[in-house]
Amino acid sequence: MTELRVLIDRDAIAKRVAEMAANITHDYAGQQVILVGVLKGSAIFLADLARQVKLDATFDFIGVSSYGNRPSPSQELKSGWDSTGEVKLTKDVDQSMKDKNVIVVEDILDTGLTLNYLLRVLRQRKPRTLRVAALLDKPSRRIKNVRTDYVGFHIPNEFVVGYGLDYAERYRNLKDVCILQLPPEST
Ligand code: IMP
């Protein structure tokens, strides 16, 4: 049977998201920011973060996918995936980023391939500042070095779902971040 084990509960998430929002509010005091959510995993994090950021803020969304099929979570944890780093844009932002304070809002930083690609794309748009807010970070899996400015939690090398994160599009609506353990036959 597929098993879910709570790793970070809703109260801990809410507390940490409020702290991250306070840091962002402090760092950009008196300035405008664009929060760019990476679809779809960041949607819930962005919604909670944005409501606590006390700044003149707008939203945008960007979509990416990786070439090739992602293996099952357990396989992925063993051997990684897409080490070529080939990521493609499936949805671009709707507004100009030129001379703006852009904060990329991401659910989880894993190998770093996605954010590395996104930051390269967004840097070409000549923003005034470009920073990253990631709810979760799995540092042990890093392939590409990515500078993160606001990180919620460092987590161990486990496949997690909930609070926006999915496995095959499921579990995004869980209130807690949970470790997903699949039955042996699905690995
Ligand atoms: P990266 O390119 O390897 O850093 O992966 C980033 C993306 O992979 C995230 O935006 C997620 O969509 C997905 N991802 C990585 N680890 C997990 C996980 O543990 N659970 C769900 N999605 C994950």
Side-chain angles (χ1 to χ4, degrees):
M1 235 181 55
T2 301
E3 226 185 278
L4 290 168
R5 192 158 50 82
V6 173
L7 178 68
I8 309 168
D9 71 27
R10 62 202 75 179
D11 295 337
I13 296 171
K15 184 167 175 279
R16 187 70 190 118
V17 171
E19 287 168 2
M20 294 172 82
N23 291 339
I24 292 171
T25 302
H26 172 268
D27 292 351
Y28 291 91
Q31 302 179 63
Q32 293 180 322
V33 294
I34 307 179
L35 301 171
V36 177
V38 184
L39 293 170
K40 304 172 196 169
S42 73
I44 293 176
F45 174 41
L46 184 131
D48 284 349
L49 185 75
R51 280 179 293 178
Q52 308 233 33
V53 165
K54 295 179 183 64
L55 295 169
D56 184 354
T58 56
F59 297 170
D60 215 316
F61 291 94
I62 198 160
V64 282
S65 74
S66 32
Y67 290 106
N69 287 327
R70 202 162 179 156
S72 72
S74 49
Q75 197 56 41
E76 180 190 319
L77 289 170
K78 273 188 227 130
S79 53
W81 64 285
D82 195 16
S83 56
T84 57
E86 284 187 75
V87 181
K88 65 180 168 179
L89 215 56
T90 55
K91 189 218 166 288
D92 204 345
V93 289
D94 297 328
Q95 58 192 294
S96 167
M97 301 281 124
K98 191 159 182 340
D99 299 327
K100 303 284 174 54
N101 294 312
V102 175
I103 303 175
V104 180
V105 180
E106 175 65 304
D107 53 359
I108 185 165
L109 180 57
D110 187 19
T111 62
L113 294 171
T114 306
L115 264 177
N116 181 269
Y117 168 80
L118 274 180
L119 291 174
R120 262 191 288 131
V121 167
L122 291 172
R123 225 172 268 129
Q124 287 164 7
R125 313 287 169 81
K126 306 264 183 283
R128 193 161 93 81
T129 60
L130 181 60
R131 289 190 178 180
V132 173
L135 179 72
L136 306 174
D137 185 357
K138 274 191 229 176
S140 61
R141 293 250 307 158
R142 200 75 86 251
I143 293 171
K144 288 271 183 196
N145 214 17
V146 175
R147 205 195 85 191
T148 45
D149 304 278
Y150 309 99
V151 174
F153 302 91
H154 291 99
I155 64 166
N157 190 10
E158 301 275 6
F159 195 86
V160 289
V161 294
Y163 197 71
L165 290 128
D166 76 308
Y167 171 57
E169 295 300 326
R170 294 178 61 207
Y171 309 110
R172 291 193 196 276
N173 58 332
L174 298 178
K175 290 185 175 176
D176 309 304
V177 170
C178 300
I179 294 174
L180 179 73
Q181 261 149 7
L182 291 167
E185 66 272 18
S186 65
T187 62

